[in-house]
Amino acid sequence: SFPDGPQYIHVSMRDDPIASKFGVMERILYDENWDYDDDEEDEETGTIDLGLDGGGKNAVFLHAYSPYFYAPDTVTPAPSCYDTLPLSNDAHNLRACLVQWLSLVMRVNGSRSFRFLYSVMAKDDLDNPFELEDEVLPAMIRATEGHKWLWNPAESLGACDVMVPAVEHELPSFCDTGCDDPVIPDADEARYVLEHQFGYGGYDEIVETMEPKVVSPDAAAT
């Protein structure tokens, strides 16, 4: 648990099994699509007490369903597509979900600081339209190259976008498994979604922001 005093913003995905079991979450509304195991529902409030309170006094919680929640259940990634798979659920992936979600929410709400975002959430004034998690978040993951950090690429990207690690003395090849309807869109679809949300040039702005910046020694010295 977190000590009282600081004003915390806790960010996690509702379909993240690790955060749900071991992280800090508020009492979450009952969802028939989510497996709460043996947690008991409060009949009066319709909530589930996960016993995971302790986020600090006056903490606020930013949650959504990740794009990976909607992945087809029939897809079984081939082990040959990666050497090791430390986690199978990318809802817990900081670089391919959580950072993009926090960035989107801040941008839509005109927030340039966590303090401002906290004040908006504490007043229950957060603008969080449904299409953010349903459409814009997957596009944001592509634009920021978060898809390169996926733990489960065969399921989230589809067959045509997954590289099989190279065997010694052989070139890498494309994996022949995956889904026909990938969770993370390609660059063209991501551009369409982000420009519809943020206006013309929105996609390019994000991509350019993510590009490594080369600073000359003279510029750094000044």
Side-chain angles (χ1 to χ4, degrees):
S1 64
F2 288 72
D4 293 336
Q7 298 173 328
Y8 296 102
I9 301 175
H10 295 287
V11 185
S12 62
M13 292 294 162
R14 295 193 183 279
D15 52 308
D16 177 358
I18 296 177
S20 298
K21 291 297 181 182
F22 306 109
V24 177
M25 297 180 73
E26 90 284 36
R27 295 170 183 264
I28 58 180
L29 294 177
Y30 174 75
D31 187 323
E32 62 182 2
N33 295 318
W34 181 243
D35 181 11
Y36 292 101
D37 297 328
D38 297 326
D39 299 314
E40 297 182 358
E41 179 181 356
D42 186 322
E43 295 181 357
E44 294 183 1
T45 63
T47 62
I48 302 294
D49 186 359
L50 298 179
L52 297 174
D53 302 286
K57 186 178 180 180
N58 299 323
V60 294
F61 302 84
L62 180 60
H63 299 310
Y65 284 101
S66 79
Y68 316 108
F69 177 74
Y70 305 99
D73 294 332
T74 56
V75 176
T76 302
S80 61
C81 289
Y82 27 76
D83 292 328
T84 57
L85 187 62
L87 293 172
S88 61
N89 194 322
D90 277 296
H92 191 72
N93 194 326
L94 179 65
R95 292 177 171 176
C97 190
L98 294 173
V99 167
Q100 289 85 355
W101 174 242
L102 179 60
S103 175
L104 277 177
V105 171
M106 294 183 69
R107 181 164 185 159
V108 169
N109 286 273
S111 173
R112 286 175 165 260
S113 69
F114 295 134
R115 182 180 296 275
F116 180 84
L117 179 62
Y118 177 90
S119 65
V120 171
M121 295 179 65
K123 296 175 183 177
D124 199 24
D125 290 335
L126 190 70
D127 185 9
N128 187 9
F130 172 75
E131 62 268 18
L132 275 193
E133 67 177 79
D134 183 48
E135 300 176 355
V136 186
L137 177 55
M140 188 71 163
I141 292 172
R142 169 66 70 170
T144 58
E145 297 191 344
H147 63 284
K148 294 183 178 180
W149 298 94
L150 287 167
W151 296 321
N152 200 344
E155 180 173 287
S156 299
L157 297 177
C160 297
D161 213 354
V162 178
M163 294 294 292
V164 179
V167 181
E168 187 176 4
H169 306 306
E170 293 183 10
L171 294 175
S173 60
F174 283 102
C175 178
D176 59 0
T177 62
C179 56
D180 296 329
D181 186 19
V183 175
I184 306 301
D186 60 23
D188 291 336
E189 184 178 350
R191 176 185 294 275
Y192 171 81
V193 171
L194 291 175
E195 292 193 346
H196 178 75
Q197 180 72 34
F198 299 124
Y200 180 75
Y203 177 85
D204 290 331
E205 176 190 340
I206 295 171
V207 171
E208 291 173 3
T209 301
M210 296 302 299
E211 291 179 350
K213 302 297 188 297
V214 179
V215 180
S216 65
D218 293 338
T222 59

